[in-house]
């Protein structure tokens, strides 16, 4: 079966920037994040040997989630200038390497990973998602495996539905319900007051869905 590797460009470049010491070209241009990203990319190509490769990026500006919740990602720190200047360089490098990049106003890079993995599965193609964003846990399936960056860009966790259940005791769909309860502080999305990951997982393991939790609210 063919394999499509889908990379969250924003996630990996950010992780590389914070994981590696600063590096600069002779003209002073920062290059540390680029070095880390390309090292990870070449490692994936060598070890996974994908038949296709795509790198997704965020676009500047609001997304459909901002329309749903105006405070989405409010309070996040601005991207450092030393990292910001490396994004266009990376996209130019990937183009020179013949690697397709995709971005679209109004949606995020991880949305693009989800879209392409769903389309690939419909055609009988397996997908490997490469990101440091745990939101992607909800995307794993029989045709979709997640390579989750755990520590910098060197330590990874390979997640299938079986591994996910072993780790959390819920299905990929259950992770959506868990997030509904606990919220996501990194994106400034509020959850139920007093309910963190541990409690949310316990409730979804017991009741299955958020609706069923509400149906048993007296308990």
């Amino acid at each position: 079966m063919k394999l499509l590797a889908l990379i969250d460009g924003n996630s990996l470049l950010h992780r590389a920037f914070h994981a590696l010491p600063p590096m600069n070209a002779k003209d002073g241009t920062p290059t540390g994040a680029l070095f880390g990203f390309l090292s990870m990319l070449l490692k994936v190509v060598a070890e996974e040997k994908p038949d296709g490769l795509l790198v997704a990026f965020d676009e500047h500006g609001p997304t459909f989630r901002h329309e749903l919740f105006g405070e989405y990602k409010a309070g996040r720190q601005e991207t450092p200038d030393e990292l910001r200047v490396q994004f266009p360089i990376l996209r130019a490098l990937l183009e020179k390497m013949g690697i397709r990049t995709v971005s679209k106003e109004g949606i995020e890079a991880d949305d693009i990973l989800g879209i392409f993995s769903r389309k690939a599965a419909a055609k009988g193609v397996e997908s490997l998602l490469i990101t440091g964003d745990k939101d992607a846990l909800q995307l794993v399936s029989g045709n979709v495996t997640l390579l989750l960056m755990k520590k910098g860009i060197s330590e990874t966790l390979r997640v299938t539905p079986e591994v996910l259940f072993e780790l959390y005791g819920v299905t990929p769909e259950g992770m959506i319900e868990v997030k509904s309860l606990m919220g996501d502080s990194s994106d400034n999305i509020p959850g139920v007051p007093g309910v963190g990951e541990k409690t949310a997982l316990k409730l979804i393991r017991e009741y299955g869905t958020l609706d069923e939790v509400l149906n048993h609210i007296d308990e």
Side-chain angles (χ1 to χ4, degrees):
M1 186 178 286
K2 289 189 174 182
L3 176 67
L4 174 63
L6 299 165
I7 297 176
D8 184 333
N10 284 73
S11 175
L12 260 65
L13 198 64
H14 271 274
R15 294 184 78 84
F17 177 78
H18 293 290
L20 297 175
M23 302 179 192
N24 295 283
K26 289 182 179 180
D27 63 0
T29 302
T31 57
L34 295 169
F35 176 82
F37 183 99
L38 292 171
S39 297
M40 184 63 202
L41 173 67
L42 295 174
K43 181 181 179 184
V44 167
V45 170
E47 294 181 355
E48 305 293 340
K49 297 178 173 57
D51 299 284
L53 181 61
L54 181 145
V55 182
F57 288 96
D58 295 339
E59 285 282 355
H60 292 298
T63 68
F64 70 93
R65 292 184 179 86
H66 289 92
E67 297 175 10
L68 295 169
F69 180 57
E71 295 301 304
Y72 178 60
K73 290 190 175 179
R76 272 202 176 184
Q77 293 185 340
E78 286 290 317
T79 301
D81 290 338
E82 296 84 0
L83 172 57
R84 190 186 303 277
V85 298
Q86 296 184 64
F87 275 96
I89 300 172
L90 175 60
R91 297 188 72 158
L93 279 170
L94 292 172
E95 182 180 347
K96 293 289 186 183
M97 295 169 71
I99 296 172
R100 178 74 180 273
T101 64
V102 175
S103 62
K104 184 174 176 60
E105 288 185 8
I107 65 174
E108 298 174 58
D110 49 3
D111 296 316
I112 294 171
L113 267 58
I115 291 167
F116 273 85
S117 64
R118 181 70 62 87
K119 287 181 176 292
K123 295 185 177 182
V125 176
E126 292 186 349
S127 294
L128 180 68
L129 311 185
I130 302 137
T131 180
D133 191 343
K134 281 189 174 182
D135 286 346
L137 288 169
Q138 65 188 273
L139 298 174
V140 300
S141 70
N143 286 83
V144 180
T145 299
L146 172 64
L147 195 62
L148 185 67
M149 302 288 121
K150 289 190 65 181
K151 185 177 181 182
I153 58 170
S154 59
E155 187 177 330
T156 61
L157 176 66
R158 199 178 193 90
V159 185
T160 61
E162 294 76 18
V163 171
L164 179 66
F165 194 84
E166 185 179 329
L167 290 172
Y168 295 101
V170 298
T171 63
E173 294 79 11
M175 290 303 298
I176 301 173
E177 308 290 330
V178 169
K179 282 281 191 174
S180 299
L181 285 165
M182 64 179 280
D184 190 338
S185 59
S186 67
D187 287 336
N188 196 44
I189 297 174
V192 177
V195 176
E197 182 180 71
K198 186 176 179 180
T199 301
L201 284 167
K202 179 182 177 182
L203 289 168
I204 296 306
R205 286 180 194 134
E206 186 168 353
Y207 297 110
T209 67
L210 181 58
D211 285 341
E212 282 302 303
V213 172
L214 293 171
N215 287 339
H216 295 82
I217 199 71
D218 291 340
E219 299 172 21

